[in-house]
Amino acid sequence: MLTKRIIPCLDVTAGRVVKGTSFTNLRDAGDPVEQAAFYYQEGADELVFLDIGATPEARDTMVEVVRKVSKQVFVPLCVGGGLRSISDMRRMLLAGADKVSINTAAVHKPELLKEGAAIFGRQCMVLAVDAKRIRGKDKAGWEVCTHGGRRPTGIDALEWIKQAVEMGAGEILLTSWDADGHQAGYDNELNRAVSEMVNVPVIASGGAGTLEHLYEALAVGKADAVLAASIFHYREYSIKQVKEYLAGRGIPIRS
Amino acid sequence: MRKDQKKIAVINYGAGNLGSVVNALNRLGYQPLVTDSVFEVLKADAVFLPGVGAAGDTMKGLEAIGMADAVKKLVAYRRPLFAICVGLQVLLSSTEEGGHYPCLDIIPGEVKKLPAGLKIPHMGWNQVKQVMSHPVFTDIPDNTNFYFVHSYYAHPTDKSVVAGVTEYGLEFCSMIIRDNLFATQFHPEKSGEPGLKMYSNFLKIASL
C-alpha cells in the first residue's frame, strides 16, 4: 500500500533556513545542509526547499545548497521559490533536485507547466499554490496569492489548480495562506476540495502545530502528504514521533 | 582489488537524472564513469541504466547513440546491469505509452498503464514484496518501502523473472532479475538506506 509522506520544509533565504508567520516576521532556523541531513537520518520521506529570498544571488546560493544536499540525502528533493523559466528549472534539476515547484511564474505563464512537463516529465512539475480564503455569499472559496503570498490575485484557486493539472502539473503543493505559520491546524476544507478534484498527489501545507493536525490533513483533508516546517525546526516533534503517532492511528506510513 | 580499479559505467543518453545515481554510488565509495560511449559501456565491470521520463524518448535516446544494441549485448553476455524505472520498462518488448512503442525486447512482455481510479503517477513510498530469494536482497527485509514515481508498469510474460511485486490498484512487477540483469521500477537512489544497500549488494554480486 502506498504510504503517506511526511515532508519537512526548509524555507531558505541567503543560504539560511528561516521561519515566519503568514510569510512575514522571519526568524533564523539554521543551516540548510545540516538540517536536511538531520531530517534524512530521522526518516523524512522527502524534502522541500523553498527559496524565499529568490534574488539572483540567492538563487546561486540555493543551487549550491541543493548540490551539497543531494550528495548526502537519498530521498526525493523538491526545490521552489522564484523559478521563472525552463532554464531556472533545469539548473535546479541538474544540481540534484528531483522536482521543481513553481507558483507565481506559473500564474503569469501557465505554458511553463506544459513546457516543463514535456521536457522533464510531469512528475517533476509541482504546482505550488498559496490559497487565501474568501467569504462568498453562499460558500467559502479561495483565491490564489502570488509573490510569496504577498499579492492576492482574485483568481479562483480551485479553477486554477484544475487548469494547471491539465497543463502538466504532476503534484500540488497546497499552502493555506490563512493557516500558514499559525500552528493551529491545516485548512482541511481546502485540502479535501483539491484532493478530491484532481488526479495527482496533493501535499497539504500550512498550519501544523500538533500531531493531531497532521492526522487530520491526511484523514479529513485526504492529502497524500503533509508538509511542515516549524514543528520540525524547533524540535517540537521528531519525524519518528510523528510517524509512530500516525501509524498508531491507522495511517499507512513508512517506518 | 581497489574499488577504483574496476569500472562502473552509468549510461548517459541525454535524459534521466543521472546525478542521483552517481551521488548514491559516490556515497558507497565508487567513482562511476558517466558516459554515452558504447565502447566504455561494453568494457565496464558493471553498468547502470537510469531512467526518468517517457519510455519512447528513452528508446530514441538509446538508439541515437547506438546504446540499444550495446544494452542487448550486455544482457546476452550476462554482464552485471542495473536498470532503473524507465530503464526497466524499455527492457520489455513494447510499451503502451504514446500508443504502442517497440522497446528492447530483452524481457518478453508489455508495459501497461496503471489502472484508472487511483492517483497517477504512483508517487511515493510503497512496499516491495520479495518473491525471489536472491543475494541482492541481503539485509533488506521483505516488504521494505522503496520510492516510486511512474504511470506505467511492466508485465513480463515469463513470471520466473519477477523478483519483487508491489500493490497499487493491482499487484504489479516492481523488480526483475534474470541472470546478471537487475531492474527496478522504484528508485533505489531515492529510497534511503535500503536503496543504497541494494546497489551495494548488486556491486558485490558484480565482484566490485
Side-chain angles (χ1 to χ4, degrees):
Chain A
M1 186 186 231
L2 182 65
T3 58
K4 301 284 188 181
R5 287 168 283 155
I6 310 303
I7 309 177
C9 175
L10 297 97
D11 291 328
V12 177
T13 189
R16 297 292 292 175
V17 181
V18 290
K19 189 56 203 162
T21 307
S22 285
F23 299 95
T24 53
N25 302 324
L26 301 176
R27 286 186 286 169
D28 190 280
D31 174 68
V33 182
E34 277 172 29
Q35 287 272 2
F38 175 78
Y39 290 142
Y40 170 66
Q41 294 301 338
E42 266 205 314
D45 294 318
E46 190 165 331
L47 295 177
V48 168
F49 290 87
L50 289 180
D51 180 355
I52 61 169
T55 60
E57 304 78 48
R59 187 140 340 105
D60 291 343
T61 313
M62 196 63 174
V63 168
E64 268 320 296
V65 167
V66 172
R67 202 185 306 282
K68 283 183 192 153
V69 169
S70 68
K71 288 185 193 305
Q72 41 185 310
V73 168
F74 299 97
V75 295
L77 306 175
C78 174
V79 181
L83 303 179
R84 288 186 189 88
S85 64
I86 294 294
S87 74
D88 286 347
M89 296 180 209
R90 181 178 281 120
R91 232 180 131 202
M92 288 303 175
L93 294 168
L94 285 176
D98 299 284
K99 308 174 187 178
V100 285
S101 86
I102 55 172
N103 186 339
T104 304
V107 173
H108 288 304
K109 200 181 162 201
E111 311 86 73
L112 269 182
L113 291 166
K114 198 172 188 175
E115 287 171 41
I119 297 170
F120 310 119
R122 62 187 301 148
Q123 81 288 340
C124 277
M125 304 300 299
V126 180
L127 176 77
V129 178
D130 294 322
K132 185 178 186 176
R133 269 188 180 261
I134 39 173
R135 305 285 167 188
K137 278 182 190 147
D138 309 319
K139 56 173 186 161
W142 298 269
E143 69 174 314
V144 175
C145 294
T146 57
H147 300 81
R150 291 186 298 274
R151 189 181 297 179
T153 61
I155 296 166
D156 182 85
L158 298 185
E159 285 301 315
W160 163 232
I161 291 167
K162 197 189 249 177
Q163 186 197 338
V165 170
E166 280 164 19
M167 296 291 285
E171 192 167 24
I172 309 297
L173 170 47
L174 185 60
T175 303
S176 160
W177 186 92
D178 308 271
D180 190 58
H182 293 291
Q183 297 193 268
Y186 293 86
D187 182 344
N188 289 318
E189 216 179 322
L190 171 67
N191 291 331
R192 188 166 189 152
V194 174
S195 200
E196 287 180 343
M197 179 182 72
V198 295
N199 188 34
V200 298
V202 173
I203 305 171
S205 157
T210 66
L211 298 176
E212 175 78 18
H213 292 154
L214 299 168
Y215 170 78
E216 285 166 353
L218 299 168
V220 181
K222 305 277 177 203
D224 300 280
V226 279
L227 180 137
S230 308
I231 63 164
F232 294 132
H233 290 325
Y234 300 117
R235 310 277 189 268
E236 287 167 38
Y237 297 103
S238 68
I239 290 166
K240 191 163 173 282
Q241 260 177 303
V242 165
K243 288 191 159 190
E244 280 169 3
Y245 172 82
L246 293 173
R249 296 207 56 183
I251 301 282
I253 288 292
R254 173 179 77 113
S255 54
Chain B
M1 184 179 276
R2 278 178 41 218
K3 281 179 176 177
D4 55 3
Q5 289 174 304
K6 287 217 171 188
K7 229 165 33 193
I8 300 172
V10 177
I11 299 177
N12 178 8
Y13 53 90
N17 189 359
L18 309 170
S20 43
V21 174
V22 172
N23 285 339
L25 295 173
N26 287 160
R27 173 68 156 238
L28 294 169
Y30 299 94
Q31 298 299 324
L33 177 73
V34 175
T35 181
D36 60 0
S37 153
V38 167
F39 179 69
E40 294 293 343
V41 165
L42 291 178
K43 67 180 185 176
D45 297 292
V47 176
F48 283 81
L49 174 60
V52 173
D57 292 342
T58 303
M59 278 305 297
K60 280 178 209 155
L62 290 171
E63 278 160 355
I65 54 171
M67 205 58 84
D69 284 335
V71 171
K72 286 182 190 169
K73 281 183 192 164
L74 291 174
V75 177
Y77 296 160
R78 302 192 177 190
R79 303 278 292 284
L81 173 66
F82 203 116
I84 305 136
C85 193
V86 178
L88 172 149
Q89 294 181 5
V90 296
L91 298 173
L92 280 93
S93 311
S94 65
T95 177
E96 279 183 358
E97 190 171 7
H100 176 92
Y101 203 92
C103 294
L104 295 169
D105 199 23
I106 290 168
I107 301 287
E110 211 191 343
V111 176
K112 301 178 179 187
K113 186 145 177 79
L114 282 167
L118 289 163
K119 295 200 171 182
I120 304 283
H122 170 218
M123 184 188 283
W125 299 77
N126 203 335
Q127 300 90 56
V128 174
K129 187 175 161 199
Q130 300 168 12
V131 295
M132 185 189 284
S133 176
H134 197 284
V136 81
F137 292 122
T138 304
D139 295 331
I140 300 172
D142 195 14
N143 291 313
T144 292
N145 283 290
F146 288 90
Y147 186 78
F148 288 83
V149 49
H150 64 119
S151 305
Y152 293 79
Y153 69 97
H155 187 71
T157 319
D158 175 7
K159 300 298 167 218
S160 73
V161 301
V162 179
V165 293
T166 296
E167 169 77 37
Y168 191 68
L170 79 176
E171 191 180 77
F172 68 91
C173 164
S174 51
M175 183 162 182
I176 289 172
I177 303 178
R178 195 179 77 193
D179 305 318
N180 276 330
L181 168 63
F182 299 80
T184 56
Q185 181 57 66
F186 52 89
H187 289 267
E189 71 283 2
K190 287 289 156 188
S191 297
E193 300 304 317
L196 295 175
K197 186 70 202 167
M198 184 170 281
Y199 281 164
S200 151
N201 289 340
F202 162 70
L203 292 167
K204 271 189 203 128
I205 292 164
S207 308
L208 272 100

